[in-house]
Amino acid sequence: DTGVSQDPRHKITKRGQNVTFRCDPISEHNRLYWYRQTLGQGPEFLTYFQNEAQLEKSRLLSDRFSAERPKGSFSTLEIQRTEQGDSAMYLCASSSIGGVGSGNTIYFGEGSWLTVV
Amino acid sequence: AQKITQTQPGMFVQEKEAVTLDCTYDTSDPSYGLFWYKQPSSGEMIFLIYQGSYDQQNATEGRYSLNFQKARKSANLVISASQLGDSAMYFCAMRGGRLTGGGNKLTFGTGTQLKVEL
């Protein structure tokens, strides 16, 4: 399978615990994105990397959230001291570098569902 | 700022019929890209079709076509010959240019739930 893969697919955790999600992008893609999607809504942008550099972070990404992409390949998204409001699906996506008009498609993974109880 | 509006929370279509899912957008960027994604209940966002703001022709991909009306700022998705497997949530999304700082992320609408019936 050469698509974007995410792990774990489902995570149930107690409030206050830390969780980490992993994303493996499509191998030749330089850009990697994290989105969050709550029930009944479209995905919302959290952050993106170009190679190993984190170039943009949304205001949605509070101090309890941290994302890394240490070698410009896979990425992790950690949520510390989880709260019930963090319950959502966390989607990872990747694309190659290109301008807006280039049509560089952003490909998504299957998402990681987080439930905080 | 960029905004995507999908006004149809749910749509029904009979198998083999065509269906149009509406999408309007707002941006001050002259350069932008419009995407449609399909999200089945499993959660994966599946890319369907792309339209660039400077593309002269409407995009087509198999049974999917994008009815792009730039002056009206609309980018409706047309699915021809609907199949039962088309039942899913459909999202319209936009990637803007440097002017609005949207060049590296997608802004999504709230989606349209499509149900294909026999």
Side-chain angles (χ1 to χ4, degrees):
Chain A
D1 185 15
T2 56
V4 179
S5 63
Q6 294 187 242
D7 182 70
R9 294 291 319 281
H10 300 272
K11 178 76 176 176
I12 300 174
T13 190
K14 290 184 179 178
R15 190 176 50 175
Q17 298 293 304
N18 300 345
V19 296
T20 300
F21 299 111
R22 176 182 169 122
C23 171
D24 287 89
I26 293 170
S27 57
E28 62 268 26
H29 283 176
N30 308 91
R31 287 185 176 159
L32 185 148
Y33 311 79
W34 285 100
Y35 285 78
R36 180 173 71 185
Q37 185 179 20
T38 53
L39 210 61
Q41 299 296 318
E44 295 173 293
F45 171 79
L46 291 178
T47 188
Y48 101 96
F49 293 83
Q50 185 161 302
N51 300 314
E52 65 275 7
Q54 188 173 17
L55 296 185
E56 189 173 350
K57 291 196 290 188
S58 161
R59 276 173 270 180
L60 291 175
L61 213 65
S62 75
D63 292 343
R64 296 184 297 105
F65 288 69
S66 62
E68 293 182 346
R69 194 182 184 198
K71 295 182 181 178
S73 56
F74 73 92
S75 175
T76 57
L77 176 69
E78 182 184 18
I79 308 173
Q80 295 182 324
R81 304 181 304 281
T82 52
E83 301 172 356
Q84 287 187 321
D86 297 331
S87 296
M89 181 164 67
Y90 292 86
L91 285 158
C92 178
S94 71
S95 73
S96 53
I97 293 176
V100 169
S102 69
N104 278 335
T105 299
I106 298 177
Y107 293 94
F108 284 82
E110 292 181 311
S112 292
W113 290 92
L114 173 66
T115 302
V116 182
V117 297
Chain B
Q2 300 169 90
K3 188 175 179 181
I4 293 283
T5 302
Q6 294 180 256
T7 57
Q8 306 155 313
M11 289 281 286
F12 290 89
V13 65
Q14 285 202 317
E15 196 181 21
K16 300 178 187 175
E17 297 290 310
V19 63
T20 298
L21 306 183
D22 294 341
C23 171
T24 58
Y25 61 91
D26 191 22
T27 182
S28 52
D29 252 311
S31 178
Y32 51 89
L34 295 156
F35 299 78
W36 277 92
Y37 287 87
K38 171 185 177 181
Q39 188 175 45
S41 55
S42 60
E44 183 183 6
M45 296 287 284
I46 301 167
F47 166 74
L48 296 178
I49 196 166
Y50 167 83
Q51 179 84 43
S53 57
Y54 294 121
D55 292 345
Q56 294 297 313
Q57 294 190 327
N58 286 346
T60 60
E61 288 285 349
R63 295 187 298 110
Y64 305 107
S65 60
L66 202 152
N67 184 1
F68 181 47
Q69 298 189 40
K70 197 169 181 177
R72 293 186 176 185
K73 293 190 174 180
S74 75
N76 298 339
L77 176 70
V78 180
I79 305 174
S80 63
S82 297
Q83 302 171 357
L84 294 177
D86 293 336
S87 294
M89 182 72 91
Y90 288 79
F91 288 98
C92 180
M94 176 169 63
R95 181 168 67 188
R98 290 199 181 93
L99 201 63
T100 54
N104 296 303
K105 57 180 179 280
L106 293 173
T107 299
F108 284 83
T110 51
T112 296
Q113 182 72 47
L114 177 66
K115 174 78 173 172
V116 181
E117 300 173 316
L118 288 169

